[in-house]
Amino acid sequence: MATFCSSLDYRMVCNLFAIGFYKPYAGISKPPTAVSQRQAPALNSRDLKSAAISDSLRLLEWHKVVDLVSSFSGTHLGREATKAQLSSTIELTYEESKIRLEETSAAMELIKCGSGMLNFSGIDDILVKSAINQACKGFPVTGLEAIAIVSLIEFTENLQATVEAAVKEKPGWLNRCMPLYEMVMNASVCHPLVKMVEQVINEDGSVKDSASYELRQGRERVRILERKLYQLMEKLARNDKNDSLSLEVCNINGRWCIKSMSNQPAKIDGLLLSSGLGAGDLIEPIAALPLNDELQHARALVAEAEKDVLSQLTNKIKIELGSLQSLLDMITQLDAVTARAKYCIEYGATYPNFFLPGEIIKPTTDEGVSIGTSNKVSSSHLQREWKLYMPKAYHPLLLQQYRENLENAKKSLANAASDLRRKKMHGKSVMMEDIDSHIEHMKVRISQLERSPPVPVDFAISAKTSVVVITGSNSGGKTISLKTVGLASLMSKAGLYVLASEPARVPWFDAVYADIGDEQSLTQSLSTFSGHLKQISAIRSNSTCHSLVLLDEVGAGTNPLEGAALGMSILESFAESGSFLTIATTHHGELKTLKYSNHTFENACVEFDEESLKPTYRVLWGIPGRSNAINIAEKFGLSQAILSKAQKLHGKSSGEINEAITKASPRFVNGKRKGRQA
């Protein structure tokens, strides 16, 4: 590296100084300056770390995974709780993460028992929360709110009964469900409250006639008065009826009236409530005034009686507020845990063998696992110590998108077929040739999707490796590989299984830092290159020996020579700082050589099929990638003269690097790259 870095110029030193990797004034309290400058208020270290983590989560699109998992919740509060818990994942300790994983496993066991015991769709948690708030403020609850409370209590009772029965039938099942067993069985339910609500509230939320003597009497009086008024209105309307006049009995704001359906005035003594062209007259007959007034009074008494019943019910609820709030909190928490479990089941996720960095983890399976090749892994291979081991790992958002596309395609086909049947049944003429062609096209689309699922990536990083350098062609899957590792680490820390095959080994990271994509910032006058430097500087300052660092296209965005030197300096700095694991992608071939001067480095590459000129999206471990631009140009028929000159312009240094790799790596045989089992 000494020879290579001798080409650094003044601009290179400025870049290194800017991100903190080069400190010429180390040990001096204040560097010399000619002009005093006003310093902007500096953020404290905690704010800087929080900003770096927040930027990393955004770049990894963690919020999309959060939204996806929360969609499996059955209640509104459960969805909000799931989002809140997953969004605060980075704050979890190792022990808290282990507890979450145990909860998820327990919920999966409960779901497997069937009976729909964890189906929360029948709970209206918003109404329950509203009832609790109303009772706290001393306001009467509504009938619907009381019914929602009963549904919550009955759901909990049924859940407790089902869990208890399952424990009796399967004694060994209790240990697997213990984290949630205690949560469910310790929930307090108030049977007297349920009985009281059922005595006074109908299923539709209305107060029962039998709720009180005053209410029963009042409603009976209302029914009698309404019957008398209707009969009176009918009699008045018949007496005034003629061939040219149409009258209608109606109820306006609780008062019985007669409405003329024509422009001819009605000959009825009463109060004219409204009159207009085309609308007719609205009249409250004089004879009906006393009965209407009495009816209004009777209804007011009924409303007061209903309020008294609900007030008594509210007083009972106030006594149980503590247990109701605890019950609602338990159901909300259980719904959030169940959402994680349902997501894991739906996507076929695998339990991650979770461990704290520094612990020794060995694969225990006797089965071979293919890593980067199609060959089975030897038994001696299985005894290696792994820092990260995830065979056939999927990017969760890519898998979600694929499943949604396939599901939408199948729905479109079903809708098209259903529409065709409906048209035939109604005798409508259809162009069968066009429809058959359209349906056939849909079937082909579905077949193509089914044959082209996302390609999983194998990860096998040995315990001695601190920095992995992934090289290879554009669009070959390097960035997706970085995001897959980052999201899998966050998922396991959040209490989710990972989308990989067994056995998965994932360390607990105190933080996942990422510098991925275009970080140009117009508001801060930062170029893409400067934006990357700013993020890398923040990562370098805050990462620890328990951190995961993901750097995409390290050293890109500037002069290739300088960028390669800067990339080498950055990666060596992370290796020396003791960060638990750094994974970087790059196009700079010089970074491949770091492995041969530092045993903590490892090479990997995304595979490229030189016959089809397409990437395979597979990652090969222990193998440095190489550029395929000239080979691709030759395949497309570019003249030999251009290719020869391009080969010369490619540079002597590049040839020396490849030659050094070839000599140093036993994985190259006769100048050809040979894949290895990780």
Side-chain angles (χ1 to χ4, degrees):
M1 178 170 176
T3 303
F4 178 75
C5 290
S6 63
S7 63
L8 292 176
D9 60 7
Y10 175 75
R11 184 154 54 96
M12 183 68 213
V13 174
C14 289
N15 288 333
L16 289 172
F17 179 81
I19 62 173
F21 291 103
Y22 179 65
K23 300 179 179 179
Y25 300 109
I28 301 178
S29 60
K30 186 176 182 180
T33 179
V35 180
S36 175
Q37 296 181 349
R38 179 177 296 177
Q39 297 290 330
L43 296 174
N44 60 46
S45 58
R46 185 173 182 178
D47 290 337
L48 289 172
K49 180 177 182 180
S50 177
I53 292 175
S54 178
D55 287 342
S56 298
L57 295 180
R58 174 179 56 81
L59 293 171
L60 290 169
E61 299 180 289
W62 175 240
H63 61 283
K64 293 184 180 180
V65 177
V66 170
D67 290 341
L68 173 59
V69 177
S70 64
S71 69
F72 286 85
S73 300
T75 66
H76 175 78
L77 295 180
R79 281 189 292 277
E80 295 302 314
T82 304
K83 289 183 179 181
Q85 290 176 7
L86 296 179
S87 297
S88 61
T89 290
I90 205 66
E91 301 171 3
L92 296 177
T93 64
Y94 174 60
E95 292 300 327
E96 289 171 338
S97 293
K98 287 180 64 178
I99 290 173
R100 283 203 182 178
L101 272 175
E102 291 171 358
E103 289 175 345
T104 303
S105 298
M108 293 174 72
E109 289 292 334
L110 289 174
I111 292 172
K112 291 175 183 176
C113 284
S115 304
M117 69 168 77
L118 293 181
N119 181 5
F120 301 89
S121 59
I123 298 176
D124 194 330
D125 55 333
I126 297 301
L127 281 179
V128 174
K129 184 178 180 180
S130 175
I132 292 173
N133 291 338
Q134 289 289 93
C136 283
K137 296 175 183 177
F139 300 135
V141 300
T142 66
L144 288 175
E145 289 171 343
I147 291 296
I149 289 176
V150 170
S151 297
L152 175 68
I153 294 174
E154 290 179 341
F155 175 86
T156 305
E157 286 181 313
N158 292 334
L159 179 59
Q160 289 176 335
T162 305
V163 169
E164 193 171 11
V167 169
K168 292 180 180 179
E169 293 177 6
K170 307 173 183 177
W173 182 80
L174 178 60
N175 291 332
R176 298 194 298 273
C177 297
M178 185 57 70
L180 298 185
Y181 176 82
E182 294 179 348
M183 180 193 300
V184 172
M185 300 308 295
N186 291 338
S188 175
V189 294
C190 182
H191 299 284
L193 179 58
V194 173
K195 186 175 180 181
M196 182 177 182
V197 172
E198 291 176 342
Q199 285 177 342
V200 300
I201 304 295
N202 290 309
E203 291 183 359
D204 61 358
S206 61
V207 181
K208 292 183 177 180
D209 288 352
S210 58
S212 72
Y213 173 79
E214 292 77 11
L215 181 59
R216 183 172 63 253
Q217 290 294 101
R219 285 180 174 172
E220 180 61 28
R221 182 58 182 165
V222 167
R223 284 192 287 270
I224 291 172
L225 290 172
E226 286 186 333
R227 188 162 54 249
K228 287 183 177 180
L229 278 164
Y230 183 78
Q231 291 172 351
L232 176 61
M233 296 294 111
E234 283 285 312
K235 181 179 179 180
L236 292 172
R238 283 197 304 270
N239 291 340
D240 195 57
K241 190 174 182 181
N242 56 58
D243 294 338
S244 61
L245 185 63
S246 176
L247 300 177
E248 180 182 273
V249 177
C250 58
N251 192 309
I252 305 297
N253 297 325
R255 302 184 72 89
W256 288 88
C257 306
I258 292 178
K259 184 176 182 180
S260 171
M261 304 303 293
S262 65
N263 293 329
Q264 182 178 348
K267 298 176 182 179
I268 297 176
D269 292 335
L271 301 177
L272 184 62
L273 302 181
S274 68
S275 178
L277 293 175
D281 297 333
L282 185 63
I283 301 171
E284 182 178 358
I286 295 295
L289 285 176
L291 287 175
N292 268 333
D293 289 340
E294 189 177 352
L295 177 61
Q296 294 294 87
H297 179 67
R299 283 178 174 155
L301 291 177
V302 167
E304 190 65 28
E306 289 177 347
K307 184 178 178 181
D308 289 341
V309 172
L310 293 175
S311 294
Q312 293 175 21
L313 185 58
T314 301
N315 291 334
K316 179 64 176 177
I317 291 174
K318 287 176 69 175
I319 298 174
E320 303 294 338
L321 274 182
S323 61
L324 285 176
Q325 185 63 62
S326 297
L327 191 58
L328 180 61
D329 291 342
M330 185 277 291
I331 290 297
T332 299
Q333 170 66 13
L334 187 60
D335 190 16
V337 175
T338 303
R340 301 201 302 263
K342 288 181 177 178
Y343 168 80
C344 295
I345 293 173
E346 178 67 20
Y347 281 82
T350 296
Y351 180 84
N353 195 329
F354 210 40
F355 67 96
L356 194 65
E359 295 179 356
I360 300 299
I361 297 296
K362 294 182 179 181
T364 56
T365 182
D366 292 329
E367 298 179 1
V369 181
S370 173
I371 302 293
T373 68
S374 60
N375 298 324
K376 292 294 183 180
V377 181
S378 64
S379 59
S380 62
H381 170 77
L382 293 172
Q383 299 305 314
R384 293 188 58 179
E385 300 165 0
W386 297 114
K387 178 172 284 189
L388 177 67
Y389 189 89
M390 288 194 304
K392 294 181 173 58
Y394 287 95
H395 187 293
L397 299 180
L398 284 183
L399 190 58
Q400 175 201 9
Q401 184 181 46
Y402 167 75
R403 291 171 61 125
E404 288 180 351
N405 290 341
L406 183 58
E407 183 179 353
N408 290 336
K410 290 181 177 179
K411 283 183 178 178
S412 296
L413 176 61
N415 290 337
S418 176
D419 186 54
L420 177 60
R421 287 194 299 271
R422 186 164 50 252
K423 287 181 178 180
K424 286 182 176 180
M425 287 178 61
H426 289 82
K428 295 183 179 179
S429 60
V430 292
M431 299 292 292
M432 290 303 301
E433 292 184 0
D434 293 341
I435 292 177
D436 289 344
S437 176
H438 181 58
I439 290 179
E440 187 61 30
H441 175 74
M442 288 183 175
K443 290 180 179 179
V444 170
R445 170 63 176 160
I446 292 173
S447 179
Q448 290 174 342
L449 284 172
E450 290 176 337
R451 293 196 305 268
S452 305
V455 178
V457 181
D458 295 314
F459 293 95
I461 302 175
S462 67
K464 68 179 182 180
T465 300
S466 295
V467 181
V468 177
V469 178
I470 304 178
T471 51
S473 60
N474 284 325
S475 303
K478 298 192 299 297
T479 302
I480 290 298
S481 298
L482 285 188
K483 289 186 175 182
T484 301
V485 172
L487 291 175
S489 302
L490 289 169
M491 289 169 68
S492 59
K493 185 175 183 179
L496 290 162
Y497 286 17
V498 294
L499 306 186
S501 299
E502 296 181 353
R505 312 289 194 245
V506 183
W508 176 90
F509 295 107
D510 62 355
V512 177
Y513 295 100
D515 176 50
I516 298 173
D518 186 354
E519 280 304 287
Q520 187 179 61
S521 174
L522 298 179
T523 59
Q524 299 184 41
S525 299
L526 295 175
S527 66
T528 299
F529 179 64
S530 300
H532 284 301
L533 292 185
K534 179 176 179 292
Q535 178 71 355
I536 292 173
S537 177
I539 293 173
R540 176 66 179 80
S541 301
N542 293 289
S543 60
T544 71
C545 60
H546 288 168
S547 300
L548 172 64
V549 177
L550 306 170
L551 305 177
D552 190 31
E553 298 297 347
V554 62
T558 187
N559 176 281
L561 190 61
E562 288 185 305
L566 183 59
M568 295 176 78
S569 178
I570 289 172
L571 294 184
E572 287 186 329
S573 175
F574 276 108
E576 294 165 2
S577 70
S579 293
F580 184 69
L581 179 60
T582 299
I583 306 177
T585 69
T586 184
H587 280 293
H588 294 302
E590 292 81 0
L591 273 63
K592 307 171 191 176
T593 63
L594 290 171
K595 172 181 178 177
Y596 307 108
S597 60
N598 189 330
H599 71 280
T600 64
F601 278 74
E602 179 61 282
N603 282 328
C605 71
V606 289
E607 189 179 45
F608 188 85
D609 188 338
E610 296 185 8
E611 293 297 325
S612 65
L613 301 180
K614 294 180 180 179
T616 66
Y617 305 107
R618 298 168 67 235
V619 175
L620 304 179
W621 295 89
I623 302 172
R626 61 189 181 92
S627 172
N628 292 282
I630 296 177
N631 290 341
I632 294 174
E634 183 178 7
K635 293 284 186 180
F636 279 98
L638 209 59
S639 71
Q640 191 60 43
I642 295 177
L643 294 172
S644 298
K645 187 171 183 179
Q647 189 68 52
K648 292 178 181 178
L649 293 174
H650 188 227
K652 181 180 178 182
S653 59
S654 177
E656 291 174 348
I657 290 172
N658 289 332
E659 184 179 353
I661 292 174
T662 301
K663 291 180 179 179
S665 175
R667 301 178 186 90
F668 280 77
V669 179
N670 297 325
K672 295 182 178 180
R673 189 171 62 201
K674 182 176 70 173
R676 75 158 174 90
Q677 298 164 353

PDB file of all heavy atoms in Angstrom, residues 562-578:
ATOM      1  N   GLU A 562      -7.278   8.399  -6.407  1.00  0.00           N
ATOM      2  CA  GLU A 562      -7.502   8.908  -5.057  1.00  0.00           C
ATOM      3  C   GLU A 562      -8.586   8.110  -4.343  1.00  0.00           C
ATOM      4  O   GLU A 562      -8.474   7.821  -3.144  1.00  0.00           O
ATOM      5  CB  GLU A 562      -7.921  10.374  -5.113  1.00  0.00           C
ATOM      6  CG  GLU A 562      -6.805  11.328  -5.478  1.00  0.00           C
ATOM      7  CD  GLU A 562      -7.270  12.771  -5.394  1.00  0.00           C
ATOM      8  OE1 GLU A 562      -8.267  13.115  -6.041  1.00  0.00           O
ATOM      9  OE2 GLU A 562      -6.631  13.532  -4.658  1.00  0.00           O
ATOM     10  N   GLY A 563      -9.648   7.787  -5.074  1.00  0.00           N
ATOM     11  CA  GLY A 563     -10.744   7.043  -4.462  1.00  0.00           C
ATOM     12  C   GLY A 563     -10.298   5.689  -3.948  1.00  0.00           C
ATOM     13  O   GLY A 563     -10.700   5.268  -2.858  1.00  0.00           O
ATOM     14  N   ALA A 564      -9.453   4.997  -4.724  1.00  0.00           N
ATOM     15  CA  ALA A 564      -8.951   3.693  -4.285  1.00  0.00           C
ATOM     16  C   ALA A 564      -8.099   3.834  -3.036  1.00  0.00           C
ATOM     17  O   ALA A 564      -8.212   3.050  -2.090  1.00  0.00           O
ATOM     18  CB  ALA A 564      -8.160   3.040  -5.413  1.00  0.00           C
ATOM     19  N   ALA A 565      -7.220   4.861  -3.022  1.00  0.00           N
ATOM     20  CA  ALA A 565      -6.365   5.082  -1.856  1.00  0.00           C
ATOM     21  C   ALA A 565      -7.200   5.421  -0.631  1.00  0.00           C
ATOM     22  O   ALA A 565      -6.953   4.928   0.475  1.00  0.00           O
ATOM     23  CB  ALA A 565      -5.379   6.209  -2.152  1.00  0.00           C
ATOM     24  N   LEU A 566      -8.202   6.265  -0.835  1.00  0.00           N
ATOM     25  CA  LEU A 566      -9.070   6.637   0.274  1.00  0.00           C
ATOM     26  C   LEU A 566      -9.848   5.419   0.772  1.00  0.00           C
ATOM     27  O   LEU A 566     -10.006   5.217   1.977  1.00  0.00           O
ATOM     28  CB  LEU A 566     -10.031   7.737  -0.176  1.00  0.00           C
ATOM     29  CG  LEU A 566     -10.978   8.299   0.892  1.00  0.00           C
ATOM     30  CD1 LEU A 566     -10.188   8.876   2.051  1.00  0.00           C
ATOM     31  CD2 LEU A 566     -11.889   9.360   0.292  1.00  0.00           C
ATOM     32  N   GLY A 567     -10.339   4.600  -0.160  1.00  0.00           N
ATOM     33  CA  GLY A 567     -11.065   3.402   0.223  1.00  0.00           C
ATOM     34  C   GLY A 567     -10.213   2.453   1.043  1.00  0.00           C
ATOM     35  O   GLY A 567     -10.663   1.898   2.052  1.00  0.00           O
ATOM     36  N   MET A 568      -8.957   2.273   0.623  1.00  0.00           N
ATOM     37  CA  MET A 568      -8.039   1.404   1.369  1.00  0.00           C
ATOM     38  C   MET A 568      -7.799   1.960   2.767  1.00  0.00           C
ATOM     39  O   MET A 568      -7.804   1.225   3.766  1.00  0.00           O
ATOM     40  CB  MET A 568      -6.725   1.262   0.608  1.00  0.00           C
ATOM     41  CG  MET A 568      -6.859   0.542  -0.722  1.00  0.00           C
ATOM     42  SD  MET A 568      -5.314   0.484  -1.659  1.00  0.00           S
ATOM     43  CE  MET A 568      -4.468  -0.817  -0.804  1.00  0.00           C
ATOM     44  N   SER A 569      -7.597   3.263   2.842  1.00  0.00           N
ATOM     45  CA  SER A 569      -7.355   3.897   4.139  1.00  0.00           C
ATOM     46  C   SER A 569      -8.555   3.755   5.062  1.00  0.00           C
ATOM     47  O   SER A 569      -8.408   3.469   6.252  1.00  0.00           O
ATOM     48  CB  SER A 569      -7.014   5.377   3.933  1.00  0.00           C
ATOM     49  OG  SER A 569      -6.828   6.024   5.166  1.00  0.00           O
ATOM     50  N   ILE A 570      -9.735   3.947   4.512  1.00  0.00           N
ATOM     51  CA  ILE A 570     -10.963   3.841   5.313  1.00  0.00           C
ATOM     52  C   ILE A 570     -11.136   2.429   5.854  1.00  0.00           C
ATOM     53  O   ILE A 570     -11.380   2.220   7.050  1.00  0.00           O
ATOM     54  CB  ILE A 570     -12.186   4.253   4.468  1.00  0.00           C
ATOM     55  CG1 ILE A 570     -12.175   5.760   4.215  1.00  0.00           C
ATOM     56  CG2 ILE A 570     -13.479   3.837   5.154  1.00  0.00           C
ATOM     57  CD1 ILE A 570     -13.231   6.225   3.239  1.00  0.00           C
ATOM     58  N   LEU A 571     -11.000   1.428   4.988  1.00  0.00           N
ATOM     59  CA  LEU A 571     -11.217   0.052   5.422  1.00  0.00           C
ATOM     60  C   LEU A 571     -10.162  -0.396   6.430  1.00  0.00           C
ATOM     61  O   LEU A 571     -10.471  -1.093   7.406  1.00  0.00           O
ATOM     62  CB  LEU A 571     -11.227  -0.881   4.208  1.00  0.00           C
ATOM     63  CG  LEU A 571     -12.390  -0.678   3.223  1.00  0.00           C
ATOM     64  CD1 LEU A 571     -12.349  -1.728   2.123  1.00  0.00           C
ATOM     65  CD2 LEU A 571     -13.728  -0.730   3.940  1.00  0.00           C
ATOM     66  N   GLU A 572      -8.916   0.003   6.211  1.00  0.00           N
ATOM     67  CA  GLU A 572      -7.879  -0.344   7.180  1.00  0.00           C
ATOM     68  C   GLU A 572      -8.144   0.327   8.517  1.00  0.00           C
ATOM     69  O   GLU A 572      -7.868  -0.238   9.583  1.00  0.00           O
ATOM     70  CB  GLU A 572      -6.508   0.048   6.638  1.00  0.00           C
ATOM     71  CG  GLU A 572      -6.021  -0.873   5.525  1.00  0.00           C
ATOM     72  CD  GLU A 572      -4.596  -0.566   5.099  1.00  0.00           C
ATOM     73  OE1 GLU A 572      -4.201   0.614   5.186  1.00  0.00           O
ATOM     74  OE2 GLU A 572      -3.890  -1.507   4.689  1.00  0.00           O
ATOM     75  N   SER A 573      -8.685   1.541   8.457  1.00  0.00           N
ATOM     76  CA  SER A 573      -9.013   2.237   9.702  1.00  0.00           C
ATOM     77  C   SER A 573     -10.083   1.495  10.484  1.00  0.00           C
ATOM     78  O   SER A 573     -10.001   1.357  11.704  1.00  0.00           O
ATOM     79  CB  SER A 573      -9.486   3.662   9.390  1.00  0.00           C
ATOM     80  OG  SER A 573      -9.916   4.318  10.552  1.00  0.00           O
ATOM     81  N   PHE A 574     -11.123   0.997   9.794  1.00  0.00           N
ATOM     82  CA  PHE A 574     -12.166   0.233  10.476  1.00  0.00           C
ATOM     83  C   PHE A 574     -11.598  -1.067  11.032  1.00  0.00           C
ATOM     84  O   PHE A 574     -11.997  -1.503  12.118  1.00  0.00           O
ATOM     85  CB  PHE A 574     -13.322  -0.052   9.521  1.00  0.00           C
ATOM     86  CG  PHE A 574     -14.307   1.072   9.411  1.00  0.00           C
ATOM     87  CD1 PHE A 574     -14.375   1.852   8.265  1.00  0.00           C
ATOM     88  CD2 PHE A 574     -15.167   1.361  10.448  1.00  0.00           C
ATOM     89  CE1 PHE A 574     -15.277   2.895   8.169  1.00  0.00           C
ATOM     90  CE2 PHE A 574     -16.076   2.403  10.361  1.00  0.00           C
ATOM     91  CZ  PHE A 574     -16.127   3.184   9.210  1.00  0.00           C
ATOM     92  N   ALA A 575     -10.688  -1.689  10.302  1.00  0.00           N
ATOM     93  CA  ALA A 575     -10.077  -2.927  10.790  1.00  0.00           C
ATOM     94  C   ALA A 575      -9.271  -2.674  12.055  1.00  0.00           C
ATOM     95  O   ALA A 575      -9.311  -3.448  13.013  1.00  0.00           O
ATOM     96  CB  ALA A 575      -9.192  -3.539   9.704  1.00  0.00           C
ATOM     97  N   GLU A 576      -8.539  -1.552  12.070  1.00  0.00           N
ATOM     98  CA  GLU A 576      -7.705  -1.227  13.220  1.00  0.00           C
ATOM     99  C   GLU A 576      -8.521  -0.756  14.415  1.00  0.00           C
ATOM    100  O   GLU A 576      -8.113  -0.922  15.560  1.00  0.00           O
ATOM    101  CB  GLU A 576      -6.694  -0.142  12.829  1.00  0.00           C
ATOM    102  CG  GLU A 576      -5.667  -0.614  11.804  1.00  0.00           C
ATOM    103  CD  GLU A 576      -4.915   0.546  11.169  1.00  0.00           C
ATOM    104  OE1 GLU A 576      -5.193   1.701  11.570  1.00  0.00           O
ATOM    105  OE2 GLU A 576      -4.071   0.295  10.287  1.00  0.00           O
ATOM    106  N   SER A 577      -9.704  -0.152  14.146  1.00  0.00           N
ATOM    107  CA  SER A 577     -10.511   0.397  15.238  1.00  0.00           C
ATOM    108  C   SER A 577     -11.205  -0.684  16.048  1.00  0.00           C
ATOM    109  O   SER A 577     -11.681  -0.432  17.152  1.00  0.00           O
ATOM    110  CB  SER A 577     -11.565   1.359  14.676  1.00  0.00           C
ATOM    111  OG  SER A 577     -12.554   0.636  13.949  1.00  0.00           O
ATOM    112  N   GLY A 578     -11.289  -1.880  15.499  1.00  0.00           N
ATOM    113  CA  GLY A 578     -11.910  -2.972  16.234  1.00  0.00           C
ATOM    114  C   GLY A 578     -13.396  -3.114  16.011  1.00  0.00           C
ATOM    115  O   GLY A 578     -14.081  -3.782  16.791  1.00  0.00           O
TER     116      GLY A 578
END
